[in-house]
Each structure stands twice: as C-alpha cells, then as structure tokens.
Amino acid sequence: MDVYTASHWGVYQVDLKNPDQPHINPAPFDPDPSPIGLHQLDQKVTEQRVRRPSIRKSWLEQGPGTAPELRGKEPFVEVDWQTALDLVAKELDRVRSTYGNSSIYGGSYGWSSAGRFHHAQSQIHRFLNMIGGYVSHKNSYSLGAAKVIMPHIVGSMDELITMHTTWDVLAEHTELFVSFGGVPAKNSQISPGGTGKHAVRQGLYAMKKAGVRFVNVGPVDDNLDVGGDREWIQCRPNTDTALMIALAWELLSQNLCNLTFLETHCTGFEKFTAYLTGKTDGIEKNSSWAEAISGVPQNTIKELAQAMASSRTMLNIAWSLQRSHHGEQPYWMLVTLAAMLGQIGLPGGGFGVGYGAINSIGSDLHKLSGPTVRQGTNPVRDFIPVARIADMLSNPGQSFSFDGKQYTYPDIHLIYWAGGNPYHHHQDFNRLNKAWEKPDTVIVNEQFWTATAKRSDIVLPATTGLERNDIGYASQEGVMVAMSKVASPVGDAWNDYDTFSGLAERLGVGEAFTEGRTDMEWLRFLYDDCKDRWQQSNVSLPSFDDFWKSGILHLEKKRESVVMFENFRRDPTSNPVPTPSGKIEIFSEKIDSFAYEDCPGHACWLEPIEWLGAGSAQEYPLHLLSDQPARKLHSQLDSSPHSQSGKINGHEPISMNPEDAKKRGIHQGDTVEVFNQRGRCIASAVLTDKVMPGVVRISTGAWYDPDPETGLERHGNPNVLTLDLGTSSLSQGCSAHTCLVDVRGPVKDAIATQAFVLPEIQGSGSKTNAI
C-alpha cells in the first residue's frame, strides 16, 4: 500500500509493502522532484535522534543557572517523561513568577514540519500565550531587510511573493531577463509548508526555448540554469546597488526613462535624480563611478542599460542580496530602476523579488489559506528582529532602533525553542556562544542532537513528520496531503502537541490548550474549518474521511495568467499600492523622517563595513558568500547519505577561483583553513571558474563542530566567520553575506569532524535537587 507524506522539499510516496521498512519514493506527479527527502528514514539520520528526555547534569543536580559555561561540554542524564515535564513546568512557573513573562524567549524559528497541525512554531506559541506570553521575534533571517523596506516602497513581501508574474507570461512576453544574484534552482527545491510540483526549472527552460535573453549579475555563475546559454556579468559582492545606480544614470543621461510612468505612478523621482546627478553630494553616479566600486566595465553598464530600455525586461533580485550590510538598498534600487524603465505592470516586464527563492514564486495557482492552528494573543509586547538574538541576550536594557521607533532589549532568563536551530541560522557563533551563557535555562523540543540541543539544559525528544498524523499543505502549491503516520517514534519521542498538553495541564491551562481534542480530532476540526472557508472561494473539498482515505487532493484551481501590478498600471488611482502615497515611493518621506544615516529617504550606495574595496580587504582579501545548501534544507538531514556525498573528506566544500587557489598553493580537494578576526573553520577546496576572483563560497548547513580546546570549527560551517550586525537601523536584518576572510593550506594533519558524535548520556536521574 502506498501513502503520501509532505515535507518542505516536496511530496513523497511511501511504500509500505514491508511495514517494518517503509521506503520513500518521489511523487509520480512531480516533474522535478528533490532528492533530499528520500533519505528521511536512513539509518545515518536515525542515529542522530534524541531518544529520551535528557537534562544537563549540573542543571539537574544543582538547579537553574548552574554552570551555563558548561552547556555543550558536559553529560546529559536521561529521565522519564513525567520527571521532565515536572521540571519544565516548575522552571517556567519560577521564571514567570519571579521575572515576568517578558523574561521568556519563545525562539521557534525554523522549518520543523510541513504538517499544519504538528507545526512546532504554532504549538509552542499557542502554549506560551496561554501561560502569560513570551518575547517574540519579527521577520526572518531569509528576508529580514526586505520585509521592512518593501512596504515603504511598494508593498509587503508576503503579498509580492504571491502576485509575481507567472512563468507562462514570462515565456511569452519577456525578451530580456536580468537577475541580480541568479535564480538558484537549489533554493526552489522548497517552499514553506512543502512543495507540490517543482516548477522553476521548467519555467526557466520554457523561457529560454522561447528566445529570452538571460543576464546573470553577481560574483558566481552556477546559480542560473536555463537549459542553454546565458551571460554572466561579474560584480563584486555587496556592490549591486552601485551598479544599478549607474544603470539608472545611463537611462537618465540617454533619455531612456519613461517619464510619464514616473510622474503618474511614482513619487519622489526628482529627489533621487538630484542624488544620481551629484547635485546633493557632488558625485555623479555614472558608469565610471560604478566601475571603480563594482568592477563591472563602463561599456558593459552602458550596453546593458540600452538593452533593458529597448527590450521587454524583467529585473529579478535574489533574496541573498538583502542579507548584507545595507541590504535594504539593492531592493529599493531594483524597484527604482524598474520604475525608470516604466515596464511595471506590462506582461513580461517589471521586477521580481525572488524568482527561484522558493518554488511557489511565479505559480499560476490561487492563494488559499490552509489549515491553521490558532496561536491566540501574546500579552507580552516585547520583541526583537529575529537576527538580533545575541544582542538581546548580551545587552538587556539596551535600546535598539527598528522601523522608525526605539525599543529596549528585555532581560531573558529562559529560552524555550521548538522547531529550529539557532546554531545554524545565526552569525558569528563565537559571539553567540557567549550570549548563550546568559539565560538561567535553555529548553528545546528536538528530534536530533543538533548543536543547539547539545547546548541546552533540557532536551525533550520530538517526533518527525513520518511518525505522526498530520495535514500537509502550502499555499499556491496545488496539493493537500493526508500525512499518515508511517513509522513508529524513535525511542520515547513525543509529538509537540502531547508535550505541550502535558505542560499545559501542569500549569493550569490544559483544557484551554487542548480544547478537549486528540490530535486526530484536531486534524478533522482544522480540515472542516478550511473546507468551510474555501467554499466561499468556490473550492469544494470532500469529507475529511474521504480525504484521509484518498491520501492526497490535487487542487488545480488556477488563476488567469498573472501580470504583477497590471491593475495598478492601468489605473493607479483606483488600484493604489499600499504605501502612504498610494504610489511607488522612489523617495519615502516616512523613511526620511526617521533620520537614519544608514538608511536615508531614497536608494543610495552606502559602503559596507566589509567588502573588497575596503581597507580591511588587505588583511582578509577574499569575500565569503554563505549561501543555501543544495543537499539539505538549512541544516536538516546533514547526516544523510545525500548530504554527506557532497562533502570532501568529511568537510563542507569551499568554492574558489583557480587564480586565488594558485596564489596560496591550494589544489583541488585540499583541506584548508578559512579564517578572519571572528573565527576559523576547516573546509575542502573545490576550484572553479564559476566563482569570480576574490570570492569564495561555503554553503551553510554543516552541523557546527568546534574543537573544545582551540575553537577551530572542524566541519565547514561558515557562521563562525560571518558578521553579526544588523543590516541597518531600519530593519536590523541579517548581514551574513558581508564577510571578508582569507584561506590558507593545505592543512596536512587530518582533522576529523565530531559533529555527529552523540553527547555523553548517563543513566536515569529521576531524583534531583533542581528547582
């Protein structure tokens, strides 16, 4: 018998002919399935599972706050579930009673489940809200800068993502597709909540077959596969904004701007023009100016500007560009450049903010809100921008800026994390290590012995999506999946719902949390609620019982071909964009009123704190890119054979241009050390001319593995090197891609990674002096 399951990287069919050894296969309807999810049941993955509730030894014996510097360095003691839940409930009650709920940080950032009910973030936030609330986070590491800047300019990222011009329109009408940062197919293996049919490769190939000209702008050239030729313009990292400004200067100086569109659909162009021509600062932002910054030749800039103006042009930008110091600027400048071309709202023209970032961008399916667990209202108003966790832990009481207002970091005494891994997402792990010692207690619900689990005080084992019943659904992916349980929980793992139900009962909110429902009763309730809502959109669903028997529903409710901002272009008065002016804000009065030196009222070139044109490049002459991995989602399934086969000698690869390798005596496959003032890590050299000179790349996701004596990271995790600094005072986003390093090698002594060595586990410890 075959059943289906859903994960963030796709829908899969599970063969249960041998119930003791279920086998995962690609879904037959997926034209381009991801191989990542095929390895979820591999023995190498199972070996990393947390099997029983585990308490850090000194915390168990001496209580909260004991020896936090030993997190990750001392044994755990396994206890039974009742003991563990009693300890967690007592500690939550102690902290909220002594310090208030604003001393609890409900982390939960990550991709723990494609299932809509057993979604760790929803479960933990619902629970914490019911016991008085928690300090929350805003936005994401992926889009920290864009989610704040874009509503000021043209509209929210959430809305923009769902309204992109569809692939069929691009193939029919686009003549020139210029992408800053490529369209990385590896990223489009996933979507939040799971993918249905992987569509990005097909979309790009169809465009190429139709004769679209592709231009890839950036420091690497293996992030755009169109099934044929494409052009590569090498541009220094973090300098795309300067290049776009020079393209704008060429449009203006050659009278290639659409002045009518700028007047009727935009506001503030005259103030940007004053900056562009140098009236405000005495610097004309021409092609010569941009060449000195970006390395792109003047003639290339001139020719590209002319081609964009004479073609139906789609400008695209990767999400990676806003994960840098001043990351707001390339997004603002892309919209400004597209507005000057005047093709926004025309079929095949305008701009895109992340084609290829996730599978659903460019989808022709309707956006339908799926089954959702209501989290309730959080009584605590304190929050942080998500990438500022180390700042918060290190500097309680300190003021920080965010989107025009001042806030204060709360004093955190307890972290409760479920669904996520800060020792993957965050930057500058050596700085995070010090901050991580501040709270009295760190609690995680976790499936695997990740670096975060190893650095916690209480670890509660959680089930995977294959070990529980759930409903898989993602908007604009076209499928709803009955995720039947296909494997028994490993060890004594519980699902998060049962864990929080047990805690809620102990803290007096059990009935409110469960509403008297089992997990299957919740699935039926959520499905029926969704069925009623969809009926209003003329989408009919079968009964829950029929859905569960079928295993999968194909929701082929398609939209007409979509052109982003088509209605706005036709009538901007009747169809304004959601900005203060109702127009595209090339100059923002509101942002200008914030008086931020690092984010003024229009797009501009602001020199990053680290880049190849800075003085620090003399000491660290290579710019490190830390992109998303191809063989895993973030750090998930890093121990799988699929992920391991991408490593060299057990280390994550570092891509280098042969010129840079030759200068350092490095050859293909050599073990090397990558370093800067923040940290050091070991990687294995891959020489390729697809990376421009002066640039190196280590994909993220290798499980963090520092040597306890020297601090040398042995696995190839770039976040021991990356910069933990907010993008600007406006958004405080992640600046991971602003990072200079150097590389030395080859390292002669074999350095074996210990990332997958389990922590020491001692015998049962039901008797405790804790709390």
Side-chain angles (χ1 to χ4, degrees):
M1 179 182 71
D2 289 333
V3 298
Y4 289 92
T5 192
S7 65
H8 293 293
W9 41 84
V11 176
Y12 296 94
Q13 215 172 31
V14 184
D15 184 344
L16 293 176
K17 291 187 177 74
N18 182 350
D20 294 329
Q21 291 184 316
H23 185 72
I24 302 175
N25 299 305
F29 57 81
D30 190 345
D32 189 23
S34 168
I36 295 174
L38 299 175
H39 303 272
Q40 296 173 76
L41 293 173
D42 190 88
Q43 180 61 30
K44 291 294 184 182
V45 174
T46 303
E47 288 172 359
Q48 298 301 311
R49 294 292 297 277
V50 180
R51 282 169 164 73
R52 293 170 189 83
S54 301
I55 318 292
R56 186 169 64 87
K57 189 174 187 295
S58 60
W59 193 101
L60 181 66
E61 295 175 347
Q62 301 175 52
T66 301
E69 71 279 3
L70 294 182
R71 288 178 183 139
K73 299 176 183 178
E74 69 172 328
F76 285 88
V77 179
E78 290 183 342
V79 301
D80 60 75
W81 266 104
Q82 300 311 311
T83 300
L85 293 177
D86 286 345
L87 287 171
V88 172
K90 289 177 181 178
E91 175 62 350
L92 284 166
D93 195 42
R94 181 190 74 86
V95 170
R96 68 175 179 171
S97 299
T98 305
Y99 306 106
N101 283 74
S102 60
S103 65
I104 299 172
Y105 182 64
S108 191
Y109 176 84
W111 297 67
S112 63
S113 171
R116 294 299 83 203
F117 177 65
H118 292 295
H119 179 241
Q121 188 175 91
S122 298
Q123 292 288 342
I124 187 175
H125 289 170
R126 176 179 169 85
F127 164 71
L128 290 175
N129 284 340
M130 288 185 174
I131 65 166
Y134 63 99
V135 174
S136 61
H137 71 256
K138 288 187 182 292
N139 302 322
S140 67
Y141 283 88
S142 296
L143 286 168
K147 281 206 168 188
V148 179
I149 189 70
M150 293 303 279
H152 291 286
I153 303 167
V154 70
S156 76
M157 279 297 295
D158 289 342
E159 289 300 317
L160 291 173
I161 285 170
T162 63
M163 61 188 287
H164 271 65
T165 299
T166 48
W167 291 109
D168 60 326
V169 175
L170 297 179
E172 182 176 358
H173 294 283
T174 303
E175 296 173 311
L176 174 62
F177 188 95
V178 180
S179 187
F180 296 87
V183 183
K186 60 184 176 59
N187 292 12
S188 65
Q189 292 179 94
I190 59 95
S191 274
T195 56
K197 298 177 180 178
H198 288 85
V200 173
R201 194 186 309 273
Q202 286 185 317
L204 290 170
Y205 279 38
M207 290 172 66
K208 183 61 183 178
K209 187 176 181 180
V212 176
R213 176 188 173 190
F214 286 90
V215 177
N216 189 19
V217 180
V220 301
D221 189 37
D222 56 3
N223 56 3
L224 178 59
D225 174 16
V226 299
D229 296 337
R230 72 269 191 271
E231 301 162 44
W232 179 26
I233 295 178
Q234 297 185 23
C235 181
R236 288 174 181 156
N238 292 190
T239 67
D240 303 75
T241 301
L243 172 59
M244 284 188 263
I245 289 171
L247 289 167
W249 186 90
E250 291 291 344
L251 295 178
L252 183 67
S253 65
Q254 297 184 46
N255 296 316
L256 298 176
C257 294
N258 188 326
L259 296 177
T260 300
F261 183 85
L262 290 167
E263 181 178 349
T264 56
H265 291 73
C266 307
T267 183
F269 179 63
E270 67 284 352
K271 293 189 177 181
F272 176 72
T273 300
Y275 167 77
L276 195 63
T277 58
K279 290 182 180 178
T280 57
D281 60 5
I283 302 172
E284 194 169 11
K285 314 305 183 301
N286 56 26
S287 298
S288 175
W289 168 83
E291 179 178 0
I293 296 170
S294 68
V296 179
Q298 296 179 52
N299 288 340
T300 299
I301 299 172
K302 294 177 185 291
E303 291 169 2
L304 182 59
Q306 293 166 357
M308 291 192 306
S310 61
S311 308
R312 181 61 56 85
T313 300
M314 174 61 72
L315 302 178
N316 181 58
I317 191 167
W319 290 2
S320 60
L321 270 71
Q322 51 85 63
R323 293 196 292 273
S324 59
H325 195 207
H326 309 307
E328 298 84 4
Q329 301 308 313
Y331 268 58
W332 201 345
M333 192 57 225
L334 184 92
V335 176
T336 301
L337 187 59
M340 292 175 69
L341 288 170
Q343 298 183 29
I344 296 172
L346 293 178
F351 68 91
V353 283
Y355 281 107
I358 54 176
N359 183 62
S360 59
I361 293 181
S363 170
D364 60 359
L365 296 170
H366 275 278
K367 179 183 179 182
L368 293 168
S369 176
T372 303
V373 177
R374 294 180 178 87
Q375 298 180 15
T377 301
N378 186 357
V380 174
R381 308 309 337 144
D382 289 321
F383 73 92
I384 60 166
V386 67
R388 303 275 55 81
I389 182 173
D391 288 351
M392 173 186 68
L393 296 176
S394 302
N395 304 296
Q398 180 174 299
S399 175
F400 69 94
S401 300
F402 179 75
D403 202 12
K405 296 181 180 179
Q406 289 295 115
Y407 300 91
T408 301
Y409 288 125
D411 188 3
I412 299 300
H413 286 263
L414 185 148
I415 294 174
Y416 199 146
W417 213 284
N421 182 6
Y423 275 93
H424 161 74
H425 287 288
H426 202 64
Q427 285 66 59
D428 193 351
F429 283 165
N430 290 316
R431 182 170 186 260
L432 179 62
N433 282 333
K434 295 178 182 178
W436 202 250
E437 296 177 2
K438 299 290 184 178
D440 300 343
T441 301
V442 178
I443 306 167
V444 299
N445 295 4
E446 182 52 73
Q447 301 159 344
F448 301 98
W449 279 110
T450 64
T452 299
K454 292 175 181 177
R455 286 162 178 76
S456 299
D457 298 307
I458 302 176
V459 185
L460 303 178
T463 54
T464 69
L466 295 166
E467 297 166 355
R468 57 202 182 208
N469 297 310
D470 212 335
I471 298 173
Y473 177 76
S475 182
Q476 292 189 284
E477 290 292 344
V479 292
M480 182 180 285
V481 182
M483 297 171 60
S484 294
K485 176 181 173 180
V486 298
S488 298
V490 170
D492 291 334
W494 286 15
N495 63 58
D496 290 320
Y497 177 65
D498 287 343
T499 297
F500 291 122
S501 296
L503 292 173
E505 183 67 29
R506 285 164 171 78
L507 292 169
V509 294
E511 182 63 27
F513 181 78
T514 67
E515 298 184 18
R517 298 187 183 98
T518 65
D519 55 353
M520 281 303 295
E521 288 170 339
W522 268 106
L523 296 185
R524 183 183 295 273
F525 171 78
L526 295 175
Y527 180 87
D528 288 342
D529 175 72
C530 182
K531 180 181 177 182
D532 292 342
R533 287 187 285 107
W534 285 12
Q535 191 67 46
Q536 300 173 21
S537 299
N538 297 317
V539 177
S540 297
L541 293 177
S543 70
F544 176 79
D545 291 333
D546 288 342
F547 159 64
W548 202 256
K549 289 177 183 176
S550 70
I552 192 167
L553 296 178
H554 292 276
L555 309 166
E556 300 294 348
K557 182 172 174 59
K558 293 182 177 290
R559 303 180 283 181
E560 298 295 326
S561 296
V562 174
V563 175
M564 190 159 75
F565 292 117
E566 183 177 34
N567 292 334
F568 168 67
R569 182 185 185 87
R570 185 180 64 252
D571 187 348
T573 302
S574 300
N575 303 285
V577 294
T579 62
S581 65
K583 297 182 178 183
I584 295 171
E585 302 222 347
I586 294 175
F587 179 88
S588 167
E589 296 282 357
K590 187 171 183 179
I591 292 179
D592 188 60
S593 72
F594 299 159
Y596 292 147
E597 291 185 3
D598 55 0
C599 191
H602 57 72
C604 62
W605 160 251
L606 297 170
E607 185 174 346
I609 193 171
E610 294 182 18
W611 67 295
L612 292 177
S616 55
Q618 296 179 8
E619 184 175 4
Y620 302 109
L622 300 173
H623 195 118
L624 172 67
L625 304 177
S626 50
D627 62 353
Q628 294 295 326
R631 293 177 173 267
K632 48 188 170 281
L633 169 56
H634 299 311
S635 65
Q636 290 185 38
L637 303 183
D638 189 31
S639 63
S640 76
H642 184 62
S643 178
Q644 291 297 305
S645 65
K647 301 178 192 289
I648 301 173
N649 299 323
H651 308 294
E652 205 68 25
I654 178 170
S655 299
M656 301 183 67
N657 187 278
E659 291 181 18
D660 295 319
K662 185 177 180 180
K663 292 176 183 177
R664 294 162 174 79
I666 294 170
H667 300 86
Q668 184 78 14
D670 280 350
T671 301
V672 299
E673 182 180 337
V674 193
F675 63 97
N676 62 14
Q677 71 274 27
R678 290 179 287 273
R680 303 180 296 143
C681 76
I682 295 296
S684 295
V686 172
L687 309 189
T688 173
D689 59 5
K690 298 298 184 182
V691 174
M692 66 181 284
V695 175
V696 294
R697 177 182 60 195
I698 306 176
S699 296
T700 58
W703 282 17
Y704 176 47
D705 180 33
D707 183 288
E709 301 299 326
T710 67
L712 173 68
E713 205 286 325
R714 299 169 291 199
H715 198 188
N717 191 311
N719 278 330
V720 299
L721 305 161
T722 50
L723 181 68
D724 184 14
L725 177 72
T727 50
S728 78
S729 302
L730 181 78
S731 73
Q732 300 287 356
C734 158
S735 295
H737 287 296
T738 299
C739 180
L740 293 179
V741 301
D742 203 354
V743 178
R744 55 184 166 225
V747 176
K748 298 300 184 181
D749 296 332
I751 299 176
T753 182
Q754 304 293 309
F756 304 114
V757 175
L758 300 179
E760 181 183 349
I761 305 290
Q762 296 186 350
S764 176
S766 58
K767 292 184 179 180
T768 172
N769 295 319
I771 309 183

